Amino acid sequence: MEVIATNITSPLGRTTEENYVAVRQGQSALRFCSAGSRGVPFDFCAAVFDAAPQFEELAYSSAAEALSHTVGMDLRRTVFILSSTKGIIDEPMGVTATRIARRLGIEEKPVVVCNACISGLSAQILADRLLATGVYDSAVITGVDVLTDFIISGFQSLKALSAQPCRPFDIERLGLNLGEAAATMVVVRDKKMAKGDGDFRFRTLRCSTHNDAWHVTNPHPKGEGAYRSLLEVGSDDVACIGVHGTATMFNDQMESMAIVRAQMTDVPLSALKGYYGHTLGAAGLLETIVTARALHDGVILANEGFSVRGVSGKVNIQEAECHTDGRCFVKMMSGFGGCNAAIAYQVGDDVESGLEREGAARLDVPTVQRRETVRHNKMDVLGKCVYDAVERLIAENRDNLSDDDIENHLSLIIFNKTSSVVSDRKYQATISDVENYYPSPSVFVYTLPNVALGEIAVRYGIHGETSLYILPDRDETVMRSIVEASLNDNDTRYVITGWVDCPDENNRECDLKIVKKQ
């Protein structure tokens, strides 16, 4: 997958170059926001635009600006992929994505990737697969989230926010800051199909995604899913690792352990949330673009907010900018629902990379660890619906599924239209009444629809892919194309897939099946 054009629209700038220059100069978009800002009754620190942006306009303007830097693009075989953690609460994201696609001149049905914090990487993995199998010739991938009272109060309810600028991997880190932005990549299957009007380009080499199978909100203490993902994409040629680096106590520690287990402790780490905060659905795209742009100049960026290493893994994170001759890097991310993803990239097209050979590393000896027991009564309606259906499917096919198949070779790929709308309404009710303002963390978790798949992964110890896609409507052709493309993953032998949509408590549609690689 060749990246031929990009855009970043953030509080640091309206173009990729403006953002890159700002970061090189050490500028951070994080700032103090007083109570009342964005509708929340408490102070917080975040990276926000001066005026609250409109979700659709922010996404469209980023995608349109990126497309304006392409030459020879044929939109007839182009798919629009929208990455977002939450989108617009009162409208199905597939509807929003369709409007954006049509405004861009793209007629193919869009796909929305909603996999919590790894959505931006999941969207790139989806595009890479669909282009590799020839379903489309090109894709426009846009990640976006804006900070509303819904999102800010939700993360505050989880005790995840820091009132001070975040400090990824630092001993004094107190938590994450949120940020809002949009970021776009225009990608093609073959660089002969179209090109960008500049000389900055990069391409994907390998992609991987795995679940922790541990807990839907707490990362695995040894970074199991992140470790498995790193093993599949890493090699000695990596110039740097773009870490997730949320500056939360457990995530940074988990990432350091995954890097140690993957024997990549000498590789410099690049953490960008000290400049942008956690931009949610945009993060996987924005941080990849900035890291690639830096490597184009032979630079590994300074880690804003870092001073003294505060994780037990002896990872290589530096306070100051440094030079590199390398042109390959890895971007990794983790998220609620136990999902993890990693992608290896090459900057420029004049370097032959060892990343494309078979990975030299092997899984270390597996250890048996306690997994959290899923408490069915705490799940939302979407979670219960998926859980019950998958439990029946696995029970009916248990004679054909070994423990190894389930744990290491089974993926969950689910489609729906209305995301987690029932939980969205319930959570909105906890923040709508000023007199009874009590944001519920247990409800907020289930406003991330992929958490339903995380519950299944925990229940059965599934370390394969867990992905949730939102479509404008049920489309078997699109669904089949995505599942067939995912079966090209070397580890995947079986996929539990289908349509699960719960627009309200009493209206549920569930149709799942097991697909086997031929």
Side-chain angles (χ1 to χ4, degrees):
M1 182 176 85
E2 300 279 340
V3 182
I4 62 169
T6 66
N7 169 263
I8 297 173
T9 302
S10 82
L12 289 182
R14 295 283 173 172
T15 67
T16 294
E17 198 63 19
E18 287 178 3
N19 277 268
Y20 171 63
V21 170
V23 171
R24 287 289 305 271
Q25 293 174 347
Q27 298 179 33
S28 173
L30 296 173
R31 68 186 191 188
F32 173 78
C33 301
S34 60
S37 299
R38 300 301 173 92
V40 295
F42 51 81
D43 299 339
F44 62 97
C45 180
V48 295
F49 291 98
D50 291 335
Q54 202 269 341
F55 179 95
E56 181 178 332
E57 289 304 316
L58 184 59
Y60 169 74
S61 63
S62 175
E65 205 276 336
L67 275 171
S68 73
H69 294 282
T70 64
V71 179
M73 279 289 294
D74 183 355
L75 298 182
R76 289 173 295 181
R77 281 179 48 81
T78 299
V79 62
F80 177 63
I81 300 175
L82 180 65
S83 159
S84 183
T85 295
K86 204 57 246 163
I88 302 174
I89 302 303
D90 56 359
E91 178 178 80
M93 280 197 276
V95 174
T96 309
T98 299
R99 279 202 306 269
I100 297 170
R102 298 298 178 266
R103 292 175 67 184
L104 294 171
I106 298 172
E107 294 299 323
E108 295 282 356
K109 286 189 177 180
V111 181
V112 179
V113 180
C114 198
N115 285 340
C117 301
I118 75 166
S119 295
L121 288 192
S122 293
Q124 294 177 60
I125 292 172
L126 174 62
D128 190 75
R129 289 171 173 173
L130 292 174
L131 269 58
T133 54
V135 179
Y136 303 101
D137 291 336
S138 54
V140 177
I141 316 166
T142 297
V144 61
D145 269 301
V146 298
L147 298 187
T148 62
D149 58 344
F150 190 104
I151 291 174
I152 299 169
S153 64
F155 277 88
Q156 178 74 0
S157 75
L158 296 171
K159 311 297 183 185
L161 298 185
S162 169
Q164 305 298 322
C166 65
R167 305 183 67 173
F169 289 87
D170 191 82
I171 195 169
E172 298 291 342
R173 69 188 186 279
L174 298 173
L176 63 81
N177 306 133
L178 294 170
E180 57 190 4
T184 298
M185 292 180 185
V186 180
V187 300
V188 295
R189 179 161 50 89
D190 188 318
K191 58 188 176 184
K192 296 177 182 178
M193 294 176 173
K195 60 182 180 179
D197 60 7
D199 62 355
F200 164 50
R201 55 192 178 277
F202 59 103
R203 63 189 178 98
T204 58
L205 298 174
R206 285 187 177 183
C207 306
S208 181
T209 179
H210 286 277
N211 200 283
D212 281 335
W214 176 257
H215 193 278
V216 295
T217 56
N218 296 333
H220 191 285
K222 291 188 176 181
E224 185 64 28
Y227 159 63
R228 289 173 179 241
S229 297
L230 277 177
L231 277 187
E232 293 182 0
V233 303
S235 86
D236 295 337
D237 297 328
V238 175
C240 71
I241 301 173
V243 287
H244 193 29
T246 60
T248 57
M249 191 60 64
F250 295 119
N251 182 86
D252 289 6
Q253 171 64 19
M254 173 278 292
E255 281 196 287
S256 77
M257 294 308 298
I259 291 165
V260 168
R261 291 176 69 194
Q263 301 179 28
M264 300 178 75
T265 53
D266 291 335
V267 180
L269 308 187
S270 178
L272 297 178
K273 289 183 174 62
Y275 302 99
Y276 292 100
H278 190 346
T279 55
L280 305 173
L285 292 149
L286 182 154
E287 294 172 14
T288 296
I289 295 167
V290 173
T291 305
R293 179 65 185 85
L295 253 64
H296 176 77
D297 282 353
V299 168
I300 298 173
L301 295 165
N303 294 285
E304 179 69 19
F306 175 78
S307 180
V308 178
R309 180 168 54 85
V311 293
S312 61
K314 294 182 179 180
V315 291
N316 182 13
I317 185 161
Q318 299 172 322
E319 185 176 1
E321 180 181 293
C322 61
H323 172 76
T324 180
D325 291 324
R327 289 295 179 267
C328 301
F329 72 98
V330 168
K331 177 62 189 160
M332 62 186 293
M333 302 195 81
S334 304
F336 287 152
C339 53
N340 301 269
I343 302 178
Y345 304 87
Q346 177 179 297
V347 178
D349 59 3
D350 56 345
V351 180
E352 292 299 323
S353 170
L355 282 173
E356 295 185 282
R357 66 177 182 268
E358 288 298 319
R362 300 176 66 89
L363 281 172
D364 56 16
V365 178
T367 57
V368 178
Q369 294 181 304
R370 177 187 61 82
R371 289 193 293 268
E372 285 287 324
T373 301
V374 176
R375 287 175 283 184
H376 194 285
N377 64 324
K378 285 198 169 186
M379 292 185 203
D380 69 338
V381 61
L382 179 66
K384 290 178 181 178
C385 198
V386 175
Y387 188 92
D388 291 341
V390 171
E391 193 160 58
R392 288 196 301 271
L393 261 181
I394 289 181
E396 292 168 0
N397 292 273
R398 200 62 178 87
D399 291 343
N400 300 315
L401 290 171
S402 68
D403 290 343
D404 180 63
D405 285 332
I406 292 172
E407 292 189 13
N408 300 308
H409 305 292
L410 174 66
S411 294
L412 303 174
I413 299 178
I414 306 299
F415 304 86
N416 83 355
K417 178 179 180 178
T418 59
S419 185
S420 52
V421 64
V422 174
S423 288
D424 292 350
R425 293 168 183 153
K426 287 182 178 179
Y427 181 75
Q428 188 69 54
T430 72
I431 63 174
S432 295
D433 186 348
V434 177
E435 300 298 323
N436 296 290
Y437 185 86
Y438 185 76
S440 169
S442 61
V443 177
F444 179 73
V445 166
Y446 289 102
T447 67
L448 305 171
N450 71 299
V451 166
L453 308 188
E455 301 276 21
I456 301 298
V458 173
R459 166 71 174 85
Y460 288 100
I462 297 170
H463 288 294
E465 174 182 356
T466 53
S467 291
L468 187 135
Y469 301 112
I470 299 171
L471 303 178
D473 50 54
R474 182 169 179 173
D475 188 316
E476 296 293 339
T477 300
V478 173
M479 292 161 62
R480 184 171 60 253
S481 295
I482 291 174
V483 172
E484 288 177 350
S486 74
L487 285 168
N488 287 327
D489 184 290
N490 290 333
D491 281 341
T492 303
R493 297 176 188 168
Y494 299 89
V495 177
I496 293 180
T497 186
W499 184 264
V500 183
D501 201 41
C502 304
D504 57 59
E505 291 277 8
N506 302 311
N507 186 4
R508 310 176 190 182
E509 183 181 2
C510 183
D511 182 9
L512 297 184
K513 60 185 176 183
I514 296 181
V515 177
K516 182 179 180 181
K517 179 182 288 187
Q518 298 299 315

